[in-house]
Amino acid sequence: MDRLTIESTSPDETRAAGRLLAKALFPGACIALYGDLGAGKTVLAGGVIHGIGVPDETPVTSPTFVIISEYEGRLAVHHVDAYRLSGEADILELGSRELFFEEAVSVIEWAERIEGAIPDERLSVKMTVSGSESRHIEVTAKGSAHVKALGEFASSLAGDSKDKTETA
């Protein structure tokens, strides 16, 4: 499986999807987030970061002004916000080669602004607003490790959906 579509009806569901995705991630995984302001990129990123084991009490906010926030859970996480960057040269100056090609998980908001600087092998997540709180989320995987992670994520989503149905 190299593509998955999710319909989230609330920020809590988006966050929960991020937590499930985190279970499938591995050292060096890269998640490139795309979407307009308010699409839910930071909500999903927070779910991923907390799902990796960063304590829930640790706030996850968009690192717009600091560009990169780092977290430690079962894996190290680099949370990047490229919104204020003017292009790939800006992130290269900050050391993106080291940032994206080490053993940490990279979660990149506004990935389209630095497209050429991020790894080709990744999970690309396109988020669009589909209602006041609902979001359409399309995840595409490139590279065998990311394709495997997407398959594990899809299985987790199916199990989570089944669990909700069974307990409802």
Side-chain angles (χ1 to χ4, degrees), residues 69-108:
S69 293
E70 296 183 349
Y71 301 92
E72 282 293 330
R74 76 173 168 84
L75 299 168
V77 181
H78 299 298
H79 182 198
V80 179
D81 186 330
Y83 183 75
R84 294 178 54 84
L85 300 179
S86 59
E88 296 162 15
D90 287 352
I91 197 73
L92 291 171
E93 284 179 26
L94 295 173
S96 70
R97 292 287 170 222
E98 296 80 23
L99 187 70
F100 300 140
F101 295 97
E102 61 179 42
E103 295 301 303
V105 170
S106 297
V107 180
I108 307 157

Side-chain angles (χ1 to χ4, degrees), residues 3-83:
R3 184 176 302 264
L4 174 69
T5 301
I6 305 163
E7 293 296 331
S8 171
T9 62
S10 70
D12 287 341
E13 278 188 17
T14 301
R15 196 172 295 105
R19 284 180 175 274
L20 287 175
L21 176 57
K23 292 178 182 179
L25 297 178
F26 53 91
C30 180
I31 303 170
L33 300 171
Y34 303 85
D36 293 334
L37 277 171
K41 296 179 298 294
T42 304
V43 172
L44 184 71
V48 169
I49 291 164
H50 288 132
I52 283 178
V54 173
D56 288 341
E57 308 80 54
T58 302
V60 174
T61 57
S62 186
T64 303
F65 294 100
V66 294
I67 312 297
I68 303 165
S69 293
E70 296 183 349
Y71 301 92
E72 282 293 330
R74 76 173 168 84
L75 299 168
V77 181
H78 299 298
H79 182 198
V80 179
D81 186 330
Y83 183 75

